[in-house]
């Protein structure tokens, strides 16, 4: 791939000066400006911007230099632009991990990345766990939603077996959140491990072959300023995913077959009941860990209203991507293995930078202050955003809302936006009203099976009680086909580069939409509020004022 880095950098630096001649009250967003940022960030020289890599450090300095040139205020460590985070990176050692099932049919062993995927536990560098198994349905528990999969089951000291996902008919965002907490639920009941297998629905959404592609990815977690690695469920020693041959071995002699369980799960509201299995497993894995660092890049545009400037709106986008893929047997020496991440998420960062430019140049500055966050380690589990939401530049109670920009699919002239999370707070009508003058509408989540709500950085602000939405281009006007093709092709592959037919006019339009949205949040008389009786508002911000839902 031809390197365009020098031209891109020069273009990006020159564009703000050229655009300043426009009427600042009516900011202009150009295709060229969006393209220039993405050309730099997706260049081969940055080698996919992996967390902890030199390429990501270069990208971070690029974003910081853009912030600096706009006259923003640094909001990282010690008056700098960077919030440096220490991560614990853990990988499998040379000996392959194994999962051995014992039961009525004898013993059968499976090797990692074959018909099982063994999870990494940095707290267990020489994992060797043997325990009986208990099937717990979906493994969910929430009284409000009528979920109690552990009722009558004794899982203390045992390994639970769960279905992936959540029951059909459960609201997708609530279901996605609960699915993300299965480990904590299992731990609270005394389980020491958790293994999972596919439903018919989850197998379609994420086939086994797709999961195995990423089976050997390192595990990351952030390390606190006190030097303690974060672990959401430290009591769970072992975890694994099962393909059908391994799942059949686990259910040997069970009173109900996997086929029957899946049939029940495939019905609306279907909740297969749990039971003790007649099998047990031994899970073995050797891992090695090291510490690496990678920065968030953070800037603040101070608000202009004396009464509102101490309230903050966060506009975030992740800067990292997945780096360089490992060579496979038979690969040609010159095969492109760099995952450039042009759309995921160079386009999101470009949008954030253009919004920052427009706001910095506006003669009437936003009433509330704006935090611009270019996060790291999103691809490792939303870790940079999680760390920032727990260690923010300002007290978290002063952060009134978050809009996250992740992988806008700029491959078609979009006419609608999906605001994941919009139904939970007044951010929904704020976003809808802000983009209406552009002829852009909001559409509901068109792919709930992908559990998008818990897979982008805004979710970490939600968990700290902050109303938040994640914005993506929608399915209308050719969007559905574009999304299906991208997710089945260039997504997390070297094809997500500048060779794609990116619609830079759509990019400029997306930047304008997010400028309008962020300004509306910053300039409104009232800060965004959770709705009364909302699941997430009640769960994570139970004591704050709520708004009546229209």
């Amino acid at each position: 791939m031809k390197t365009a880095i020098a031209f891109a950098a020069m273009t990006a630096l020159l564009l703000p000066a050229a655009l300043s001649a426009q009427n600042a009250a009516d900011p202009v967003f150009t295709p060229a400006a969006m393209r220039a940022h993405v050309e730099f960030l997706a260049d081969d020289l940055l080698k996919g911007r992996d967390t902890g890599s030199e390429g990501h450090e270069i990208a971070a300095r690029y974003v910081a230099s853009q912030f600096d040139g706009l006259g923003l205020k640094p909001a990282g460590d010690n008056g700098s632009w960077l919030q440096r985070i220490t991560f614990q990176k853990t990988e499998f050692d040379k000996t392959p991990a194994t999962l051995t099932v014992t039961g009525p049919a004898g013993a059968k062993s499976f090797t990692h990345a074959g018909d099982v995927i063994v999870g990494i536990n940095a707290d267990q560098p020489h994992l060797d766990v043997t325990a009986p198994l208990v099937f717990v349905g979906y493994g969910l528990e929430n009284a409000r939603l009528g979920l109690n999969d552990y009722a009558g089951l004794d899982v203390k000291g045992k390994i639970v077996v769960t279905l992936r996902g959540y029951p059909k008919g459960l609201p997708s965002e609530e279901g996605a959140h609960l699915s993300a907490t299965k480990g904590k639920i299992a731990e609270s009941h005394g389980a020491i491990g958790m293994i999972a297998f596919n439903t018919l629905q989850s197998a379609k959404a994420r086939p086994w072959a797709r999961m195995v592609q990423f089976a050997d990815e390192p595990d990351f977690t952030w390390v606190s300023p006190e030097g303690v690695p974060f672990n959401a469920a430290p009591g769970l020693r072992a975890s694994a995913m099962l393909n059908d041959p391994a799942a059949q071995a686990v259910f040997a002699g069970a009173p109900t077959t996997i086929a029957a369980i899946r049939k029940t799960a495939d019905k609306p509201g279907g909740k297969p009941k749990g039971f003790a299995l007649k099998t047990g497993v031994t899970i073995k894995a050797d891992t090695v860990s090291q510490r690496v660092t990678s920065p968030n890049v953070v800037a603040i545009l101070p608000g202009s209203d004396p009464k509102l400037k101490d309230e903050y709106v966060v506009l975030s986008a992740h800067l990292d991507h997945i780096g360089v893929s490992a060579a496979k047997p038979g690969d040609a020496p010159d095969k492109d293995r760099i995952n450039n991440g042009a759309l995921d998420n160079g386009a999101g960062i470009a949008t954030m930078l253009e919004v920052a430019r427009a706001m910095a140049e506006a003669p009437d500055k936003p009433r509330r202050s704006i935090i611009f966050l270019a996060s790291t380690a999103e691809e490792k589990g939303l870790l940079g955003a999680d760390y920032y939401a727990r260690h923010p530049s300002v007290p978290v109670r002063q952060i009134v809302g978050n809009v996250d920009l992740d992988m806008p699919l700029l491959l078609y002239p979009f006419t609608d936006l999906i605001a994941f999370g919009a139904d939970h707070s007044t951010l929904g009508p704020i976003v809808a009203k802000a983009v209406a003058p552009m002829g852009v509408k909001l559409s509901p989540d068109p792919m709930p099976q992908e559990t998008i709500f818990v897979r982008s950085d805004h979710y970490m602000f939600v968990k700290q009680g902050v109303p938040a939405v994640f914005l993506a281009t929608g399915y209308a006007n050719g969007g559905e086909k574009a999304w299906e093709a991208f997710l089945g092709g260039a997504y997390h592959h070297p094809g997500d580069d500048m060779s794609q037919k990116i619609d830079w006019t759509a990019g400029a339009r997306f930047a304008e939409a997010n400028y309008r949205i962020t300004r509306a949040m910053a300039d409104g008389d009232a800060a965004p509020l959770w709705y009364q009786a909302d699941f997430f508002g009640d769960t994570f911000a139970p004591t704050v004022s709520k708004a009546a839902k229209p």
Side-chain angles (χ1 to χ4, degrees):
M1 185 181 298
K2 185 177 180 181
T3 299
I5 196 163
F7 172 78
M10 183 180 297
T11 305
L13 291 172
L14 289 176
L15 276 168
L19 292 173
S20 64
Q22 302 287 340
N23 182 1
D26 186 20
V28 174
F29 298 90
T30 69
M34 288 291 293
R35 184 181 65 246
H37 292 306
V38 179
E39 279 179 337
F40 186 98
L41 296 170
D43 194 275
D44 278 2
L45 182 64
L46 276 64
K47 296 183 179 178
R49 308 188 306 277
D50 200 7
T51 301
S53 70
E54 183 180 33
H56 183 271
E57 295 286 344
I58 293 170
R61 300 315 192 277
Y62 176 81
V63 172
S65 71
Q66 296 293 309
F67 287 158
D68 197 7
L70 295 172
L72 303 183
K73 178 183 175 182
D77 300 329
N78 304 314
S80 73
W81 301 104
L82 307 182
Q83 182 187 46
R84 180 68 59 179
I85 306 173
T86 298
F87 294 98
Q88 182 164 276
K89 176 183 178 181
T90 305
E91 302 175 273
F92 286 113
D93 208 348
K94 296 179 181 179
T95 304
T98 59
L99 183 150
T100 301
V101 182
T102 56
K108 189 168 185 178
S109 290
F110 300 90
T111 302
H112 170 75
D115 283 318
V116 300
I117 298 173
V118 176
I120 289 174
N121 185 347
D123 295 337
Q124 302 278 325
H126 303 291
L127 177 67
D128 188 347
V129 174
T130 299
L133 300 173
V134 179
F135 174 58
V136 294
Y138 281 102
L140 300 177
E141 188 175 61
N142 186 273
R144 178 171 180 158
L145 297 175
L147 300 170
N148 190 11
D149 289 343
Y150 284 84
L153 298 176
D154 176 16
V155 302
K156 189 173 183 179
K158 301 173 184 178
I159 293 175
V160 298
V161 181
T162 77
L163 290 162
R164 291 187 63 218
Y166 53 88
K168 278 188 172 182
L170 198 68
S172 64
E173 294 179 348
E174 287 85 340
H177 162 70
L178 290 174
S179 291
T181 64
K182 286 183 181 183
K184 293 179 68 174
I185 296 171
E187 179 190 48
S188 73
H189 286 276
I192 63 168
M194 182 173 72
I195 59 181
F197 66 101
N198 270 323
T199 63
L200 298 176
Q201 186 176 13
S202 67
K204 291 178 182 177
R206 196 159 292 122
W208 185 255
R210 180 176 165 190
M211 295 171 66
V212 169
Q213 287 179 359
F214 305 102
D216 290 321
E217 290 292 311
D219 178 77
F220 279 72
T221 189
W222 55 261
V223 179
S224 73
E226 296 75 31
V228 180
F230 175 73
N231 188 340
L236 289 188
R237 298 179 59 197
S239 63
M241 294 290 302
L242 309 178
N243 195 21
D244 278 8
Q248 294 292 350
V250 161
F251 277 80
T256 306
T257 65
I258 290 177
I261 289 169
R262 285 175 169 158
K263 184 177 180 180
T264 299
D266 207 43
K267 297 177 181 178
K271 302 173 187 176
K273 294 187 178 298
F275 47 83
L277 290 161
K278 296 182 179 181
T279 53
V281 295
T282 297
I283 302 176
K284 295 183 178 181
D286 292 323
T287 58
V288 292
S289 297
Q290 60 178 308
R291 297 284 172 94
V292 299
T293 70
S294 187
N296 289 329
V297 191
V298 197
I300 292 177
L301 177 65
S304 61
D305 189 314
K307 294 182 179 180
L308 298 179
K309 67 179 182 180
D310 290 332
E311 295 180 359
Y312 295 80
V313 172
V314 176
L315 185 64
S316 59
H318 76 88
L319 181 59
D320 65 301
H321 195 51
I322 61 172
V324 182
S325 298
K328 297 179 180 179
D331 280 353
D334 60 347
K335 182 179 179 179
D336 182 10
R337 295 185 288 108
I338 299 175
N339 299 283
N340 303 84
L343 295 176
D344 184 16
N345 186 38
I349 290 290
T351 303
M352 182 185 68
L353 291 175
E354 283 302 287
V355 172
R357 174 194 59 76
M359 289 191 175
E361 293 177 351
D364 56 331
K365 297 296 188 289
R367 297 174 68 193
R368 291 181 177 83
S369 298
I370 311 294
I371 294 174
F372 298 99
L373 170 65
S375 64
T376 186
E378 190 270 354
E379 302 288 6
K380 310 303 182 187
L382 319 182
L383 298 180
D386 188 30
Y387 187 90
Y388 183 83
R390 295 168 187 262
H391 305 87
S393 309
V394 300
V396 72
R397 67 179 181 275
Q398 293 175 228
I399 298 177
V400 300
N402 165 239
V403 174
D404 187 54
L405 309 171
D406 186 2
M407 204 169 75
L409 206 65
L410 308 178
L411 299 173
Y412 60 101
F414 70 91
T415 58
D416 68 327
L417 292 174
I418 306 160
F420 297 95
D423 292 339
H424 303 291
S425 73
T426 57
L427 277 179
I430 289 172
V431 171
K433 185 177 179 181
V435 299
M438 300 175 63
V440 174
K441 297 181 179 180
L442 292 192
S443 296
D445 181 358
M447 40 186 160
Q449 72 280 2
E450 292 286 347
T451 63
I452 298 294
F453 185 71
V454 301
R455 290 174 54 195
S456 200
D457 283 343
H458 71 291
Y459 178 55
M460 295 308 178
F461 286 94
V462 168
K463 293 205 294 184
Q464 298 305 317
V466 177
V469 293
F470 157 43
L471 289 175
T473 46
Y475 264 27
N477 201 37
E480 183 174 5
K481 289 184 178 180
W483 273 105
E484 289 178 355
F486 183 80
L487 292 176
Y491 173 65
H492 280 199
H493 282 83
D496 183 13
D497 61 12
M498 295 298 291
S499 69
Q500 299 172 97
K501 294 182 179 180
I502 297 175
D503 185 339
W504 297 111
T505 299
R509 185 169 164 82
F510 189 72
E512 179 187 350
N514 282 283
Y515 174 84
R516 289 172 177 269
I517 291 165
T518 309
R519 283 292 317 228
M521 293 169 63
D523 292 341
D525 291 335
L529 294 174
W530 293 104
Y531 284 134
Q532 292 173 1
D534 178 75
F535 177 88
F536 292 98
D538 289 351
T539 300
F540 297 114
T543 62
V544 304
S545 298
K546 306 291 199 306
K549 191 167 185 177

